[in-house]
Each structure stands twice: as C-alpha cells, then as structure tokens.
Amino acid sequence: MANETATLAAYVADLKFADIPSEVLERAKVLTLDFLGSTIRARRDAESTPSLLGMLEALALDGKGEATVFGDSKTWTPAVAALLNGALGHSLDFDDTHADSSLHPSAPVVPAAFAVGEMVGASGRDVLTAIVAGYEVCCRLGNALDPTSHYARGFHPTATAGTYGAAAAAGKLFGLSKDQLIAAFGVSGSQAAGSLQFLVNGAWNKRYQVGAAAMNGVIAATLARNNFVGSTESVEGKHGLLVGYSDDAHPDKATSGLGKTYETLKIGVKPYPSCRYTHAALDALIAMRREHNLTPDQIKRVEIGLHRNGITLTGDAATKRHPTSIVSGQFSMFFTGALALDQGSFGWDDYDRLGDAAVNALADKFDVVQDDRLEIGRTHPFGARVSITTDDGVHERLYADPSGEPNSFPDAQAMQQKFLTLARPVLNGRADQLADAILSLERFDRVEKATQLGRQ
C-alpha cells in the first residue's frame, strides 16, 4: 500500500471540468438522469418511504431547507436531502451498477453532489465535475476492496466505498484542499458501514444504509471544511478500509490509471428493477422464451448458473424461492426468473405479482447453482448460464454480460424513456423538462435552476 488516500485526495482536489473527456461527461449526465428516475418514483411508491419520513418528523429533522428531494414538494436541509435522495434512489434497485466493484455509484454520489451543489450555489459544470470525482473514488475503492472478499465479510460496498465517493463529491464542491479531503476521507473511514444482513428477511437496511452513505459523505466533507482533524491513511492504514473490510485487497486498483482510465465509463445501467446478478439470466430467459415460443406448461425444469456472489445474494432456495416482500423479490433469482419466463418482461410494477400462484409454481421448477465457468477468465461476475428443460429437450444459453453494460449501453432515447416511464406518474409534464435540464446540466450557471424542476 502506498499513499492511496493522499493520491485520491489530490486527484479530487485538482480535477477540472475541462480535463474530463466529453464522453465521460455525457455518460455522467445519463447516469444521473437514470438515477433520478428511480428517486422520483420511489418517493411515491417505495413501501419504505413513509417510515423514512416518519423518522425525520419524529426527530425534528424535517425542517425546511434549500435542498431538493426529487419527487417531493418541499425543500430540505442538505444532509437530510442527501439521505432521502440516496435512500429513495436505491429503493427500487433499478439504479446503475459498476460491475468490477459490484456497487451502485450514483446512489451515494449524486445525492451528495446535488445537496452541496445547491448549498454553495454551484454551477452545473461544478456538479458534473464533482459527480465524476465521486464515481472515480468509490468505484476504485470498490475494486481495491475486491467485491467477492468484501461480500464474504458481510459488507455492502455501495454503502462502504460509497461513503468515500460521497465525501469526494461533496468535498470537490466545497473546494477542499488535498489535506482537507484527506481529513474528509478519514472521517469517512469511521462512517463506512453497510451490512448484508438485510438479505435474511428482506429488510429495508440496504436502502437506508446507502442514503446514510450519501449523508455521511456530506457530513465528512463539511467537517473537513470546518478544519476538523480526520485520520490520515484512511484507505491504506493499518486499521484502514482495505485492511478492515477485505481479506483480499488490491490497493493498486485504487489509483491505477487515475485520471487516464475512467471507471465512470464502465458503469452499467439496469433493464430490470432487481439485483444486478439476476440480469444476465433474465436476458437469457426472455430471449429463450421468445425464440422457442415457451409457455409455462411446457417447462419441466430450469437451472440457473451464477457466480458465487450471485448465489450469496439471490440463490438461496430456502429463503429466496417464494419471496413475500419487495426487497426479498429484488434479491430472488427464483421469483425474478419465473416472472420473466412467465410473461416475457419485467418492470417495477410487476412486484404486484409477489405471491402469485402461477409465478410461485414456475419458481418451484428453478434450481440456482454456482457455476465455476462464470468465475474463471471473466472480467466481472455478472454473467449467467441458463438451461431450460422441456418435452422437446434442453435449451441452454451462456450470457457473459447482462444488457446495459458498457458494450451494450442503451442509446439516449432508451435511457430517456426509462426515466420518463418512472418519473411521469409523479411529475407529469415536468418530467420531460427535468430530463432536458439534466442532459444539458453544464449549461446552468446555478444547479438549482435545474433541480427545482424535480420538485413535485
């Protein structure tokens, strides 16, 4: 390990809008828009939202501020806005994913950037620069942690590495120096938390802990702005992130190619509102259903092969076969696969079919197994092997990549349509205006001129 904390801090402090390649900036805008669609719909539809709002009211944290919560009618204080936008944007499990680190970069980073951007009167260019800085920091730290090892220790990288990404975005907008960013990262090391225990009962922890990462990043950067002394070597130190949170850390991945290779361009988007480890299988199931004109009564058995991370998150038959909550459904290869095979599609509104007898009957025909072919020589762990047995024989597909990865990234029209499908039921005509604003964010001299369009 060699000064990873200071190297990342210097990168964030020195990053300029003009230094960022145009394709990276364009991707950052599209990813931001994609995230906000989930945020807006979750403000109205996510079953955990009333509890979040009730907590804030009970603790007198619901006071008026100047920060936007997308899809909400009131404005909030910056830290609370970051919490809510982060939690809401992650509630549908429809937000972006960085395959190599197995984390969702926008969920902690974008809320922190908008909260502080509105707070300091930043321009759209400033906010985009901060978002890219946050993406690079959290994705690189996720890579360095090694997601398989990090998951095996029971940690959720979006919440752990994401805290650092949020601090980077917030610190960039505050104009923190390298030393101040080191302090902010030091505080982030004390805040980085996120347990996979939510998988046991379909709990809402995952949503909250990602929102908390966004909020904690804002707090860490604000402390550093006020000359708070944070620990040094927060990433590489003897009690730092890489030592405490992984048994197989790769410190070099935190800084290799920094400023030249953009992890932002490796972030993929989701075609389905569920754990990313289900997506390659869902792509295959939908394609095979169409190609072979399959109906549920023809199907005798379905075997899904996944990487061991996918088994950990989605493949335990004892707890995942017949989920009864949305979170459990989002992390069930059995439910999502049966649903996709039954109807040939899968969207957010299809969680209405939880407990559906036809879906459960089809899920009973599924086996989910670890497939070593998805672990050797693969660039990331999101592939799947699907085998469907019918009276006519066995049909099998191996999908190395789910759709929405960089090599199959949707075009601008498809991305905008996904956003509008989620946002229009909440914002009506303003959804189109917000989409246009986010996709031209660099033109705004003050970012709140754009974000105010996201208020209900």
Side-chain angles (χ1 to χ4, degrees):
M1 300 188 189
N3 302 313
E4 285 81 10
T5 308
T7 301
L8 289 171
Y11 168 76
V12 174
D14 295 341
L15 185 65
K16 297 179 178 60
F17 179 84
D19 296 334
I20 303 172
S22 59
E23 64 268 26
V24 176
L25 293 167
E26 290 302 311
R27 182 61 55 86
K29 289 188 290 186
V30 170
L31 293 169
T32 297
L33 181 69
D34 183 63
F35 173 75
L36 294 182
S38 289
T39 306
I40 291 164
R41 177 60 76 89
R43 173 60 186 86
R44 192 191 74 175
D45 283 6
E47 75 279 29
S48 52
T49 299
S51 296
L52 285 170
L53 298 175
M55 175 273 292
L56 295 170
E57 180 181 4
L59 296 178
L61 295 174
D62 61 340
K64 181 177 174 58
E66 300 302 323
T68 299
V69 170
F70 292 88
D72 200 281
S73 58
K74 64 169 284 186
T75 52
W76 301 74
T77 59
V80 173
L83 169 67
L84 282 174
N85 282 324
L88 292 172
H90 200 50
S91 290
L92 307 190
D93 222 324
F94 217 171
D95 48 324
D96 55 34
T97 307
H98 181 260
D100 291 348
S101 61
S102 192
L103 62 77
H104 304 267
S106 287
V109 169
V110 170
F114 277 130
V116 176
E118 290 180 316
M119 177 181 175
V120 302
S123 69
R125 287 188 171 203
D126 294 336
V127 170
L128 282 171
T129 304
I131 288 171
V132 172
Y135 283 162
E136 293 299 311
V137 167
C138 72
C139 291
R140 289 172 172 277
L141 289 179
N143 290 346
L145 283 165
D146 181 75
T148 299
S149 176
H150 200 48
Y151 278 135
R153 292 282 299 272
F155 291 114
H156 180 209
T158 307
T160 54
T163 303
Y164 284 79
K172 182 63 181 174
L173 286 160
F174 281 141
L176 299 188
S177 67
K178 170 186 170 182
D179 287 343
Q180 288 175 311
L181 282 160
I182 290 172
F185 289 157
V187 176
S188 297
S190 293
Q191 298 168 315
S195 167
L196 295 179
Q197 189 65 19
F198 72 88
L199 291 166
V200 173
N201 64 326
W204 297 338
N205 298 53
K206 181 172 185 279
R207 305 167 180 189
Y208 171 78
Q209 64 200 24
V210 172
M215 176 180 68
N216 286 337
V218 170
I219 291 171
T222 307
L223 284 169
R225 188 191 193 200
N226 286 280
N227 301 314
F228 190 87
V229 178
S231 63
T232 57
E233 300 183 338
S234 173
V235 173
E236 72 274 15
K238 66 180 291 186
H239 302 298
L241 182 77
L242 299 185
V243 174
Y245 289 70
S246 177
D247 293 319
D248 188 26
H250 303 278
D252 58 299
K253 292 186 177 182
T255 57
S256 178
L258 187 62
K260 297 178 181 179
T261 301
Y262 280 87
E263 297 299 315
T264 300
L265 292 176
K266 301 178 185 178
I267 299 171
V269 293
K270 288 185 172 185
Y272 315 108
S274 59
C275 177
R276 188 61 164 157
Y277 284 95
T278 67
H279 285 204
L282 295 176
D283 285 337
L285 288 164
I286 291 171
M288 294 165 77
R289 179 186 187 274
R290 180 176 59 250
E291 180 179 337
H292 300 290
N293 296 312
L294 296 176
T295 58
D297 59 290
Q298 295 174 301
I299 295 165
K300 305 302 180 185
R301 181 174 180 266
V302 179
E303 183 175 276
I304 308 291
L306 298 177
H307 184 280
R308 58 185 141 161
N309 292 356
I311 298 296
T312 298
L313 295 175
T314 73
D316 178 30
T319 59
K320 301 292 185 180
R321 190 175 296 279
H322 296 148
T324 57
S325 70
I326 290 177
V327 174
S328 293
Q330 289 167 327
F331 285 84
S332 169
M333 187 69 258
F334 302 91
F335 169 76
T336 57
L339 181 67
L341 194 53
D342 181 63
Q343 62 186 36
S345 62
F346 176 32
W348 169 249
D349 294 321
D350 293 322
Y351 282 105
D352 289 345
R353 297 195 67 186
L354 281 165
D356 182 288
V359 174
N360 284 347
L362 195 51
D364 287 334
K365 300 178 182 180
F366 275 64
D367 291 312
V368 182
V369 300
Q370 182 177 331
D371 193 323
D372 291 340
R373 287 176 290 181
L374 300 167
E375 308 218 10
I376 301 171
R378 302 289 177 183
T379 57
H380 61 72
F382 288 150
R385 175 185 56 79
V386 175
S387 176
I388 302 176
T389 302
T390 70
D391 288 333
D392 296 328
V394 178
H395 309 286
E396 185 165 292
R397 292 278 185 91
L398 179 67
Y399 273 40
D401 293 302
S403 57
E405 286 299 298
N407 62 355
S408 60
F409 201 86
D411 61 25
Q413 183 178 1
M415 292 300 298
Q416 190 159 355
Q417 187 55 50
K418 178 185 173 185
F419 168 81
L420 293 174
T421 298
L422 290 168
R424 275 177 176 160
V426 180
L427 295 182
N428 300 311
R430 296 187 68 158
D432 298 79
Q433 297 175 50
L434 178 61
D436 291 341
I438 296 300
L439 293 175
S440 60
L441 195 60
E442 72 279 7
R443 300 179 185 176
F444 288 82
D445 59 344
R446 295 179 70 88
V447 74
E448 62 264 29
K449 294 180 181 178
T451 56
Q452 67 184 359
L453 296 170
R455 301 171 193 168
Q456 191 176 22

